[in-house]
Amino acid sequence: MIIMKQSVKIRTRFAPSPSGDLHLGHGYSAKLNYDFACAHNGDFILRIEDIDHLRCKRQFEQSIFDDLKWLGLKWPTPIRRQSEHFDDYQKALDKLQNMTLLYPCFCSRKDILDEINESTRAPHMRPKLGPEGIIYPGTCRHLSPQERAQKIAKNIPHALRLDMEKALKTVGKDLYWTDLKSGEQLADPTLLGDVVLARKDFPTSYHLSVVVDDHIQEISHVIRGQDLYYASHLHRLLQHLLDLNTVIYDHHPLLVTPDGNRLAKRDKSITLKSIKQSGVDAKAIDALIKQYL
Ligand code: GLU
């Protein structure tokens, strides 16, 4: 197991989005971060990832506090809310813009699907499938400066995508990230393609904000679910491009229901709130988690 050099203070974080009640899997992730920090005399931080103003609600934020307190977790206040720091994400975007690594993407979901359906007619142009679904086919990467300017003048909403190929050329060498259990990993962010770094509806994205915040908050270890394993490849690239601190990653297994489905925020029976209301003692939570691992 890899712990950082003695001089580096261990700091972990749990960073939920207040878009629903936390479920048992979130409790597991939060506890892993908390216990790791405590075991190494480090700090545990709670961060609220609420950039998506359409999905995030203050009422869920309060439930997060209540549920984590019920689990016995403590964290320093004030906490960082991403929605209060859009200027930090803008600085990072500006830096990538100045490096000419971003391009505006005007595609709707339907445009992307249409483009993919078109290309499937020609088998040699099959869309590439990444671990998180179909990789963006790059439609808007090929627009001329005039076409871009015309669309912007017409106020067609656009996202900003990372030009992955160009970004990797800029780096010009292999990048590695450290996995807590298995050591050095070669970063392969091409697995995610030209990811969106600023969305149409708000000027940042999960991927961008998370690396900026982990840097600002001096996080040393990011312990999160296996579903974010591929995101870590991209995050390593963004850390390099933006000159941010790297962190050590650990990806824990996701909890699954007896029929093999991942726990989801919509499964009301397995939220921390409903577990608490059913009279389960918070001390019994580890045993309950084991039943879903
Ligand atoms: N807000 C993200 C989530 O709830 C956090 C992911 C991470 O830990 O990086 O999935």
Side-chain angles (χ1 to χ4, degrees), residues 207-225:
H207 293 302
L208 185 77
S209 328
V210 85
V211 291
V212 169
D213 286 353
D214 286 340
H215 171 85
I216 290 176
Q217 297 196 290
E218 296 179 10
I219 299 303
S220 67
H221 289 70
V222 167
I223 303 170
R224 60 187 177 192

Side-chain angles (χ1 to χ4, degrees), residues 11-15 43-47 75-76 217 219:
R11 272 163 90 82
T12 63
R13 68 2 175 229
F14 179 57
D43 297 331
F44 166 80
I45 282 175
L46 174 65
R47 176 166 78 227
W75 54 88
Q217 297 196 290
I219 299 303

Side-chain angles (χ1 to χ4, degrees), residues 13 15-17 26 49 206 210 222-224 228 235 265:
R13 68 2 175 229
S17 296
H26 294 110
E49 301 211 328
Y206 157 66
V210 85
V222 167
I223 303 170
R224 60 187 177 192
L228 289 165
H235 294 178
K265 281 183 176 163

Side-chain angles (χ1 to χ4, degrees), residues 51-197:
I51 50 175
D52 187 340
H53 56 92
L54 296 174
R55 292 176 58 234
C56 295
K57 300 208 165 63
R58 275 293 166 109
Q59 108 218 24
F60 291 127
E61 188 182 293
Q62 188 54 47
S63 303
I64 290 171
F65 299 154
D66 295 345
D67 292 344
L68 296 181
K69 276 187 197 147
W70 175 66
L71 288 177
L73 274 50
K74 296 187 188 88
W75 54 88
T77 52
I79 50 146
R80 183 175 171 95
R81 275 188 199 92
Q82 290 188 324
S83 60
E84 293 166 0
H85 297 278
F86 280 104
D87 47 344
D88 288 330
Y89 314 131
Q90 190 56 51
K91 275 186 213 142
L93 282 175
D94 290 346
K95 184 164 176 149
L96 296 172
Q97 283 278 27
N98 289 338
M99 296 163 87
T100 64
L101 296 181
L102 301 180
Y103 64 87
C105 174
F106 305 89
C107 293
S108 63
R109 266 173 220 276
K110 185 177 174 308
D111 295 335
I112 297 175
L113 286 177
D114 288 351
E115 167 90 14
I116 286 162
N117 288 336
E118 286 271 306
S119 59
T120 43
R121 279 188 222 129
H124 62 285
M125 285 177 65
R126 286 248 153 80
K128 290 202 198 100
L129 204 59
E132 297 195 348
I134 287 168
I135 295 178
Y136 176 65
T139 324
C140 286
R141 196 189 325 120
H142 306 296
L143 294 179
S144 67
Q146 290 80 358
E147 285 171 312
R148 281 179 187 158
Q150 275 167 10
K151 284 178 188 283
I152 288 173
K154 280 191 203 153
N155 278 331
I156 302 180
H158 65 272
L160 292 174
R161 287 186 182 271
L162 180 71
D163 185 332
M164 183 59 77
E165 210 183 303
K166 201 168 174 194
L168 292 176
K169 272 203 194 116
T170 305
V171 175
K173 60 174 186 183
D174 284 342
L175 293 176
Y176 294 86
W177 53 274
T178 308
D179 179 276
L180 188 63
K181 296 190 193 81
S182 19
E184 232 177 20
Q185 310 287 314
L186 177 66
D188 185 2
T190 55
L191 295 166
L192 300 183
D194 289 358
V195 281
V196 168
L197 292 188

